[in-house]
Every structure is written in C-alpha cells, then in structure tokens.
Amino acid sequence: MLFVLAIGALVVLIHLYLWKRLVRDTTRPGRARRVGGFAVAGLGVLVFGTVIGSRFVGPAVARWFAWPGFIWFALMVYLFLFLVVLEVPRLALRRWARRGPLVATATSAPEANTTTPDANTATWEANTAAGGANTRRVFLARGLGAVAGVGAAGVVGGGMVSALGAPEVNRLTIPLRRLDPGLAGFRIAVVADLHLGPLLGRGHTERVVRMINETEPDLVALVGDLVDGTVDELGPALAPVRDLVSRQGTFFVTGNHEYYSGYAPWITELERLGVHPLRNERTTISRGGAEFELAGVNDVNGRSYEDSPDLDRALAGRDPARPVVLLAHQPVQVADAAARGVDLQLSGHTHGGQFYPFHYVVRAAQPSLAGLSKVDDTWLYVTRGVGFWGPPVRIGAAPEISVVELR
C-alpha cells in the first residue's frame, strides 16, 4: 500500500509540474489550456494505471495499455529532467520576459470620473506593455517546452531502438584458480532478464535462442527473470528455449520475477523444456576427465515464498580442489559466495541500470551494475540482460548475451 501511495504521489507531482511548464505557461486562459490540462491529467492516470495495473492483469490485457503507458512513462521522466535543467536559462531570461515598452506615468484627472487625454495615453501604453511582457513570457515558455520535447523524444526514441533491437554478443575471458587445463576455453553463454510479458513475446525468445546457438557454447546459464506472467499466459512465448543447443546443457536459477509469476509451475515447465533448474544445488561439469562444480541458488526474494536461497546446501560435499561457478540472479549474493570460496558468480538482475536516472537506484542496492569485478578472491560477472522491465527503453545499457570463456 505504501508503494502504491508513493508511486501515486510522485506521478501527481511530476504531472503538475509538466502541466505548469507545458500547458499553463504556454497558453492563455481558454479552450487550449483546458484541453491541455485534461490531456496531462489523462496521461497521469495512464502511467499510474500502467505501473500498478500491469501487475494485476494478464499480459494479453496489459498489452493494450502497457505500450502507450510505458512509453509515456519514459517521456514523462525525460521531459521532467529536461525542463528542470532548462530552469536555469528560464531564470536567466526572466527579466527579459518581463520587460515591455516604455510606460508613462498616468496622472489623475482634476475632476472625478474624468479622464484626460494624457491619462488615456498612459493607460494604453500600460496595457501594451503588459501585453508585450505576456507575449515574451509565452514565447519563452513555448521555446523551452519545444527544446524539452525534442530532447525527450530523441532520447526515448534512441532508447527504444536499443531496447527492442538485437542484443549485443559480449565475449570475455575469466581466469579461474584451480581450473584444470583440460577445461581451458570452456564457454558459458550467460543470459538473464528475458522479461517475457505484455511487451516481449515469442519472437523475442526465438531471436535470443538463435543468437545463443550461433555462439556454439559448451553450456547455457539462464540466470533468472525470464517471465512476467503465468505458465498459462506465457508458456508458448518461452517454448523456444527447448531449441537451445550446447554440449553440457542449459541450467537455470530463479529471479525475483519468477516468484511474482508463480515459480513452482515455471520450474516444472522449464524441466519439460529440457532446462535443468539448480535450486540450491550443484552439479559436476566434466570434459575429457577435467571437472568443475556448477552451483545455483534461489533468488533472495524466495525468502518471502518459503523458497530461500541456501548456498551452504548448494556447496555441501564439494571437492575443494575443483573450482566453483555459481549462478545467482542478484549480484548482491556475491558476499555470501566470497565468504565460501566461490571462484566465479554469474548474475543478472540489474539490466545495467537500463536508463538514467534509475541506475542510481540499482547501484545503491547492488555491488555492481554490469561487467566483471572482484570481491575478495571471487570474480563477479553481471550481464546487462536481453530484455527490459517497464519502459521499452535502454540508454547506455544495451541488451547483451554474454559468452564467458574460462581460463
């Protein structure tokens, strides 16, 4: 309830500001201002309903309002940011906007209810000055509004091209202590955050599967947040993962969105599709007599669903001479991994921040936004993921399929 109230208050405040700058300041009282006011209010209701309502209806229904709602959400954010930045030139030009023609000082007529010619002239000049100042204020407001509109549309448009386009294939090499030379060059395709739902469907899955197969991996790691909906709603959209091809198979760990979507039926469905869930478990990966341990833990949100992560259980009985590669949806789980001597953790969840300014929120909660880093002796690699959540926009965080080569 507090989340809903906070979102509602934020949406109202931002739209009041947008109304002030884009409607009230750019129009004179009348029909145009009323129409603009109703339009802004309607867009506010749309974005609130999209953010909140899409969580409670199926993807087929949400699709009708999710596209316009989430696109306006992104435009709303960037209009607000551009307009806030443009407050600086607005203040600098404020005196110019108020300046009008020279106004003479009106003198009172010698007799009550009598106006002299000079007073008539002064009144006319005052009205002219006020009209000139109003004209300049409207001109300035419209100019700055146009700059904000063009800027926001350009940024969001570019972000949509990135989000909806084909993912990048990012290849990197990670050295692991204790890795048997027989496993040098072993390649793991890391994929996270598919986010099938109202905006992304089967075609998105088919493209990702095709691109993964083209990398010819030894193993595929699906590190959570595949779906935003139930098996009945999205089972056909995820079905192409049965076509993933690798030498050692495809493995999966839950993300937070699997818990929102009914994790138990999805585990069953993934098993039916030939994917191997690792639920606080590990398995031994062998090639030519050389071996390493592949472990997986449930997402931290599983604690609210009686399905908590348990790294001790996943690592119980392992051979300390073999390196351990851990699949864990959220980077924040690396602290436990480092304390237990895990060699490499593969994660997603962050979307690389997805778009400004939300990367600040993500970075405050996670030790890494994207890429390779190290915590004590444990490598952490965070993929930016192949989908998006909310607005179909990615800015400075293009979608990616990661191919990790062990050395």
Side-chain angles (χ1 to χ4, degrees):
M1 187 61 181
L2 287 177
F3 172 78
V4 173
L5 291 174
I7 292 294
L10 185 61
V11 168
V12 168
L13 290 173
I14 290 178
H15 280 82
L16 282 174
Y17 177 74
L18 296 182
W19 172 80
K20 172 70 168 62
R21 288 293 180 238
L22 298 179
V23 178
R24 185 178 182 276
D25 290 355
T26 63
T27 60
R28 293 182 174 87
R31 182 177 180 182
R33 181 177 291 185
R34 290 194 299 272
V35 170
F38 283 121
V40 171
L43 289 169
V45 172
L46 174 64
V47 74
F48 179 78
T50 299
V51 173
I52 301 301
S54 59
R55 304 176 65 182
F56 300 102
V57 298
V61 175
R63 187 174 296 117
W64 291 99
F65 58 84
W67 276 107
F70 277 126
I71 291 172
W72 170 246
F73 180 98
L75 286 169
M76 173 194 78
V77 169
Y78 284 99
L79 279 171
F80 174 77
L81 293 175
F82 271 101
L83 287 168
V84 168
V85 171
L86 290 172
E87 291 294 344
V88 175
R90 184 188 300 276
L91 289 172
L93 294 169
R94 184 171 57 181
R95 292 186 64 183
W96 170 84
R98 290 176 175 174
R99 193 174 62 212
L102 181 64
V103 181
T105 302
T107 57
S108 300
E111 296 179 8
N113 300 320
T114 303
T115 304
T116 66
D118 287 344
N120 284 331
T121 301
T123 301
W124 178 85
E125 289 179 345
N127 290 335
T128 301
N134 286 334
T135 299
R136 279 190 294 274
R137 279 197 291 268
V138 171
F139 176 78
L140 176 62
R142 289 175 178 175
L144 296 179
V147 171
V150 171
V155 170
V156 171
M160 290 182 66
V161 170
S162 176
L164 297 171
E168 300 174 354
V169 177
N170 183 26
R171 301 175 185 269
L172 71 155
T173 300
I174 301 178
L176 295 190
R177 54 184 179 169
R178 302 193 302 267
L179 186 72
D180 190 300
L183 286 166
F186 191 95
R187 285 174 298 142
I188 304 173
V190 186
V191 183
D193 307 298
L194 195 64
H195 281 295
L196 299 177
L199 306 187
L200 294 172
R202 186 183 179 98
H204 178 55
T205 310
E206 290 173 341
R207 178 171 62 183
V208 169
V209 167
R210 181 178 67 253
M211 294 182 68
I212 293 171
N213 288 343
E214 288 171 355
T215 69
E216 299 182 349
D218 292 293
L219 183 149
V220 178
L222 304 177
V223 289
D225 278 8
L226 302 184
V227 292
D228 287 304
T230 66
V231 172
D232 289 341
E233 295 163 341
L234 295 173
L238 188 63
V241 301
R242 66 159 62 94
D243 299 323
L244 285 167
V245 177
S246 63
R247 298 171 185 84
Q248 299 288 341
T250 302
F251 296 85
F252 165 78
V253 292
T254 54
N256 50 307
H257 283 253
E258 273 74 48
Y259 290 101
Y260 309 150
S261 304
Y263 74 96
W266 275 116
I267 294 295
T268 301
E269 179 67 7
L270 285 163
E271 290 175 331
R272 190 183 71 81
L273 295 173
V275 176
H276 309 291
L278 291 174
R279 305 186 64 239
N280 299 325
E281 299 171 289
R282 64 181 174 81
T283 186
T284 301
I285 304 298
S286 303
R287 187 176 74 177
E291 298 177 330
F292 73 90
E293 302 291 344
L294 180 71
V297 290
N298 301 340
D299 182 66
V300 295
N301 279 263
R303 294 168 182 154
S304 300
Y305 297 82
E306 298 183 354
D307 197 45
S308 298
D310 190 340
L311 186 53
D312 288 329
R313 175 184 165 190
L315 299 179
R318 72 182 178 95
D319 184 347
R322 298 173 186 162
V324 178
V325 176
L326 174 67
L327 309 184
H329 178 62
Q330 297 198 36
V332 73
Q333 294 171 276
V334 73
D336 291 337
R340 290 159 177 79
V342 168
D343 296 86
L344 168 65
Q345 176 176 316
L346 302 173
S347 297
H349 184 65
T350 67
H351 303 190
Q354 190 165 324
F355 67 93
Y356 181 90
F358 294 97
H359 69 284
Y360 288 120
V361 178
V362 179
R363 189 64 182 86
Q366 301 290 339
S368 173
L369 275 181
L372 186 64
S373 58
K374 204 167 190 180
V375 176
D376 298 332
D377 292 326
T378 298
W379 289 107
L380 169 65
Y381 180 72
V382 182
T383 184
R384 296 192 299 266
V386 293
F388 51 81
W389 183 85
V393 172
R394 277 179 170 267
I395 298 168
E400 69 174 355
I401 295 167
S402 302
V403 181
V404 172
E405 184 174 316
L406 305 181
R407 292 290 181 186

